[in-house]
Short mmCIF file of all heavy atoms in Angstrom, two decimals:
data_model
loop_
_atom_site.label_atom_id
_atom_site.label_comp_id
_atom_site.label_asym_id
_atom_site.label_seq_id
_atom_site.Cartn_x
_atom_site.Cartn_y
_atom_site.Cartn_z
N CYS A 78 74.50 -84.06 15.66
CA CYS A 78 73.34 -84.35 16.56
C CYS A 78 73.66 -84.02 18.08
O CYS A 78 74.70 -84.42 18.52
CB CYS A 78 72.96 -85.81 16.44
SG CYS A 78 71.46 -86.20 17.21
N CYS A 80 71.16 -84.69 20.32
CA CYS A 80 70.12 -85.32 21.09
C CYS A 80 70.60 -85.78 22.39
O CYS A 80 71.86 -85.78 22.63
CB CYS A 80 69.53 -86.49 20.24
SG CYS A 80 70.58 -87.95 20.27
N CYS A 83 73.42 -88.63 22.13
CA CYS A 83 74.72 -88.16 21.51
C CYS A 83 75.37 -87.22 22.50
O CYS A 83 76.66 -87.31 22.70
CB CYS A 83 74.45 -87.50 20.16
SG CYS A 83 74.05 -88.54 18.84
N ASN A 329 71.58 -93.75 16.60
CA ASN A 329 71.93 -92.90 17.79
C ASN A 329 70.80 -92.37 18.63
O ASN A 329 70.91 -91.79 19.60
CB ASN A 329 72.79 -91.74 17.27
CG ASN A 329 71.99 -90.70 16.45
OD1 ASN A 329 71.18 -89.89 16.96
ND2 ASN A 329 72.06 -90.82 15.14
ZN1 LIG B 109 71.84 -88.14 18.36
#
Side-chain angles (χ1 to χ4, degrees):
C78 191
C80 76
C83 287
N329 70 79

